[in-house]
mmCIF file of all heavy atoms in Angstrom:
data_model
loop_
_atom_site.group_PDB
_atom_site.id
_atom_site.type_symbol
_atom_site.label_atom_id
_atom_site.label_comp_id
_atom_site.label_asym_id
_atom_site.label_seq_id
_atom_site.Cartn_x
_atom_site.Cartn_y
_atom_site.Cartn_z
ATOM 1 N N PHE P 473 -46.750 13.211 -6.282
ATOM 2 C CA PHE P 473 -45.808 14.265 -5.912
ATOM 3 C C PHE P 473 -45.111 14.835 -7.142
ATOM 4 O O PHE P 473 -44.922 16.053 -7.254
ATOM 5 C CB PHE P 473 -44.776 13.721 -4.919
ATOM 6 C CG PHE P 473 -45.336 13.476 -3.554
ATOM 7 C CD1 PHE P 473 -45.765 12.222 -3.168
ATOM 8 C CD2 PHE P 473 -45.451 14.518 -2.642
ATOM 9 C CE1 PHE P 473 -46.301 11.995 -1.905
ATOM 10 C CE2 PHE P 473 -45.975 14.310 -1.369
ATOM 11 C CZ PHE P 473 -46.401 13.048 -1.003
ATOM 12 N N ALA P 474 -44.718 13.961 -8.067
ATOM 13 C CA ALA P 474 -44.041 14.422 -9.276
ATOM 14 C C ALA P 474 -44.922 15.378 -10.066
ATOM 15 O O ALA P 474 -44.435 16.374 -10.624
ATOM 16 C CB ALA P 474 -43.635 13.235 -10.136
ATOM 17 N N GLU P 475 -46.225 15.104 -10.116
ATOM 18 C CA GLU P 475 -47.151 15.980 -10.833
ATOM 19 C C GLU P 475 -47.207 17.366 -10.207
ATOM 20 O O GLU P 475 -47.568 18.336 -10.877
ATOM 21 C CB GLU P 475 -48.545 15.358 -10.862
ATOM 22 C CG GLU P 475 -48.672 14.181 -11.817
ATOM 23 C CD GLU P 475 -50.077 13.616 -11.866
ATOM 24 O OE1 GLU P 475 -50.744 13.575 -10.816
ATOM 25 O OE2 GLU P 475 -50.490 13.225 -12.965
ATOM 26 N N MET P 476 -46.843 17.460 -8.922
ATOM 27 C CA MET P 476 -46.833 18.745 -8.231
ATOM 28 C C MET P 476 -45.423 19.330 -8.143
ATOM 29 O O MET P 476 -45.176 20.258 -7.372
ATOM 30 C CB MET P 476 -47.462 18.583 -6.847
ATOM 31 C CG MET P 476 -48.885 18.044 -6.912
ATOM 32 S SD MET P 476 -49.728 17.905 -5.329
ATOM 33 C CE MET P 476 -50.233 19.601 -5.085
ATOM 34 N N GLY P 477 -44.497 18.745 -8.916
ATOM 35 C CA GLY P 477 -43.144 19.294 -8.998
ATOM 36 C C GLY P 477 -42.223 18.886 -7.872
ATOM 37 O O GLY P 477 -41.177 19.510 -7.683
ATOM 38 N N VAL P 478 -42.576 17.834 -7.129
ATOM 39 C CA VAL P 478 -41.770 17.392 -5.997
ATOM 40 C C VAL P 478 -41.095 16.066 -6.355
ATOM 41 O O VAL P 478 -41.790 15.074 -6.600
ATOM 42 C CB VAL P 478 -42.624 17.209 -4.728
ATOM 43 C CG1 VAL P 478 -41.756 16.748 -3.550
ATOM 44 C CG2 VAL P 478 -43.354 18.498 -4.380
ATOM 45 N N PRO P 479 -39.751 15.999 -6.398
ATOM 46 C CA PRO P 479 -39.102 14.701 -6.641
ATOM 47 C C PRO P 479 -39.433 13.741 -5.505
ATOM 48 O O PRO P 479 -39.563 14.163 -4.348
ATOM 49 C CB PRO P 479 -37.607 15.037 -6.681
ATOM 50 C CG PRO P 479 -37.479 16.336 -5.954
ATOM 51 C CD PRO P 479 -38.766 17.078 -6.189
ATOM 52 N N ALA P 480 -39.585 12.461 -5.847
ATOM 53 C CA ALA P 480 -40.023 11.502 -4.834
ATOM 54 C C ALA P 480 -39.334 10.166 -5.028
ATOM 55 O O ALA P 480 -39.057 9.750 -6.156
ATOM 56 C CB ALA P 480 -41.540 11.324 -4.891
ATOM 57 N N LEU P 481 -39.061 9.505 -3.912
ATOM 58 C CA LEU P 481 -38.400 8.206 -3.894
ATOM 59 C C LEU P 481 -39.272 7.198 -3.168
ATOM 60 O O LEU P 481 -40.027 7.556 -2.252
ATOM 61 C CB LEU P 481 -37.047 8.295 -3.172
ATOM 62 C CG LEU P 481 -36.009 9.264 -3.725
ATOM 63 C CD1 LEU P 481 -34.810 9.343 -2.771
ATOM 64 C CD2 LEU P 481 -35.551 8.830 -5.115
ATOM 65 N N ASN P 482 -39.149 5.928 -3.561
ATOM 66 C CA ASN P 482 -39.751 4.824 -2.829
ATOM 67 C C ASN P 482 -38.663 4.183 -1.964
ATOM 68 O O ASN P 482 -37.576 3.874 -2.457
ATOM 69 C CB ASN P 482 -40.285 3.774 -3.808
ATOM 70 C CG ASN P 482 -41.297 4.332 -4.787
ATOM 71 O OD1 ASN P 482 -42.469 4.489 -4.469
ATOM 72 N ND2 ASN P 482 -40.840 4.652 -5.998
ATOM 73 N N PHE P 483 -38.953 4.004 -0.686
ATOM 74 C CA PHE P 483 -37.961 3.411 0.214
ATOM 75 C C PHE P 483 -38.676 2.838 1.419
ATOM 76 O O PHE P 483 -39.294 3.565 2.197
ATOM 77 C CB PHE P 483 -36.944 4.462 0.668
ATOM 78 C CG PHE P 483 -35.918 3.945 1.640
ATOM 79 C CD1 PHE P 483 -34.947 3.047 1.223
ATOM 80 C CD2 PHE P 483 -35.918 4.346 2.972
ATOM 81 C CE1 PHE P 483 -33.990 2.555 2.112
ATOM 82 C CE2 PHE P 483 -34.970 3.874 3.870
ATOM 83 C CZ PHE P 483 -34.002 2.975 3.436
ATOM 84 N N GLY P 484 -38.631 1.523 1.561
ATOM 85 C CA GLY P 484 -39.311 0.913 2.694
ATOM 86 C C GLY P 484 -38.816 -0.496 2.960
ATOM 87 O O GLY P 484 -38.158 -1.115 2.114
ATOM 88 N N PRO P 485 -39.135 -1.059 4.121
ATOM 89 C CA PRO P 485 -38.598 -2.364 4.523
ATOM 90 C C PRO P 485 -39.313 -3.559 3.917
ATOM 91 O O PRO P 485 -38.763 -4.664 3.885
ATOM 92 C CB PRO P 485 -38.782 -2.358 6.045
ATOM 93 C CG PRO P 485 -39.941 -1.446 6.281
ATOM 94 C CD PRO P 485 -39.845 -0.385 5.218
ATOM 95 N N GLY P 486 -40.533 -3.396 3.437
ATOM 96 C CA GLY P 486 -41.285 -4.531 2.925
ATOM 97 C C GLY P 486 -40.701 -5.081 1.634
ATOM 98 O O GLY P 486 -39.965 -4.400 0.918
ATOM 99 N N ASP P 487 -41.030 -6.326 1.353
ATOM 100 C CA ASP P 487 -40.617 -6.978 0.112
ATOM 101 C C ASP P 487 -41.783 -6.905 -0.870
ATOM 102 O O ASP P 487 -42.846 -7.484 -0.617
ATOM 103 C CB ASP P 487 -40.258 -8.438 0.401
ATOM 104 C CG ASP P 487 -39.760 -9.185 -0.827
ATOM 105 O OD1 ASP P 487 -39.970 -8.712 -1.957
ATOM 106 O OD2 ASP P 487 -39.158 -10.270 -0.658
ATOM 107 N N PRO P 488 -41.610 -6.218 -2.019
ATOM 108 C CA PRO P 488 -42.732 -6.075 -2.950
ATOM 109 C C PRO P 488 -43.221 -7.405 -3.510
ATOM 110 O O PRO P 488 -44.379 -7.520 -3.923
ATOM 111 C CB PRO P 488 -42.165 -5.176 -4.059
ATOM 112 C CG PRO P 488 -40.682 -5.312 -3.956
ATOM 113 C CD PRO P 488 -40.406 -5.524 -2.500
ATOM 114 N N ASN P 489 -42.367 -8.425 -3.526
ATOM 115 C CA ASN P 489 -42.784 -9.730 -4.038
ATOM 116 C C ASN P 489 -43.768 -10.441 -3.102
ATOM 117 O O ASN P 489 -44.412 -11.411 -3.511
ATOM 118 C CB ASN P 489 -41.559 -10.622 -4.255
ATOM 119 C CG ASN P 489 -40.625 -10.077 -5.316
ATOM 120 O OD1 ASN P 489 -41.078 -9.619 -6.361
ATOM 121 N ND2 ASN P 489 -39.338 -10.102 -5.055
ATOM 122 N N LEU P 490 -43.847 -9.966 -1.859
ATOM 123 C CA LEU P 490 -44.751 -10.582 -0.885
ATOM 124 C C LEU P 490 -46.049 -9.814 -0.713
ATOM 125 O O LEU P 490 -46.963 -10.285 -0.030
ATOM 126 C CB LEU P 490 -44.053 -10.686 0.478
ATOM 127 C CG LEU P 490 -42.779 -11.540 0.515
ATOM 128 C CD1 LEU P 490 -42.088 -11.393 1.862
ATOM 129 C CD2 LEU P 490 -43.106 -13.000 0.243
ATOM 130 N N ALA P 491 -46.130 -8.639 -1.328
ATOM 131 C CA ALA P 491 -47.322 -7.815 -1.178
ATOM 132 C C ALA P 491 -48.553 -8.564 -1.675
ATOM 133 O O ALA P 491 -48.523 -9.234 -2.712
ATOM 134 C CB ALA P 491 -47.153 -6.514 -1.950
ATOM 135 N N HIS P 492 -49.642 -8.484 -0.909
ATOM 136 C CA HIS P 492 -50.955 -9.023 -1.259
ATOM 137 C C HIS P 492 -51.012 -10.552 -1.220
ATOM 138 O O HIS P 492 -51.986 -11.142 -1.681
ATOM 139 C CB HIS P 492 -51.406 -8.538 -2.656
ATOM 140 C CG HIS P 492 -51.442 -7.055 -2.798
ATOM 141 N ND1 HIS P 492 -51.841 -6.433 -3.976
ATOM 142 C CD2 HIS P 492 -51.130 -6.049 -1.947
ATOM 143 C CE1 HIS P 492 -51.780 -5.122 -3.829
ATOM 144 N NE2 HIS P 492 -51.340 -4.866 -2.596
ATOM 145 N N THR P 493 -50.000 -11.198 -0.667
ATOM 146 C CA THR P 493 -50.002 -12.655 -0.597
ATOM 147 C C THR P 493 -50.502 -13.122 0.766
ATOM 148 O O THR P 493 -50.427 -12.392 1.766
ATOM 149 C CB THR P 493 -48.602 -13.234 -0.843
ATOM 150 O OG1 THR P 493 -47.729 -12.856 0.239
ATOM 151 C CG2 THR P 493 -48.013 -12.729 -2.148
ATOM 152 N N LYS P 494 -50.978 -14.351 0.822
ATOM 153 C CA LYS P 494 -51.413 -14.928 2.099
ATOM 154 C C LYS P 494 -50.244 -15.054 3.055
ATOM 155 O O LYS P 494 -50.402 -14.924 4.274
ATOM 156 C CB LYS P 494 -52.049 -16.300 1.837
ATOM 157 C CG LYS P 494 -52.557 -16.987 3.099
ATOM 158 C CD LYS P 494 -53.223 -18.315 2.778
ATOM 159 C CE LYS P 494 -53.750 -18.991 4.030
ATOM 160 N NZ LYS P 494 -54.433 -20.276 3.729
ATOM 161 N N ASN P 495 -49.043 -15.280 2.498
ATOM 162 C CA ASN P 495 -47.846 -15.500 3.305
ATOM 163 C C ASN P 495 -47.059 -14.205 3.528
ATOM 164 O O ASN P 495 -45.871 -14.239 3.834
ATOM 165 C CB ASN P 495 -46.952 -16.531 2.597
ATOM 166 C CG ASN P 495 -45.945 -17.170 3.531
ATOM 167 O OD1 ASN P 495 -46.258 -17.453 4.684
ATOM 168 N ND2 ASN P 495 -44.739 -17.395 3.037
#
Side-chain angles (χ1 to χ4, degrees):
F473 288 96
E475 286 182 323
M476 302 183 80
V478 180
L481 301 173
N482 302 279
F483 178 70
D487 182 343
N489 296 317
L490 299 172
H492 303 181
T493 67
K494 181 178 181 179
N495 199 39

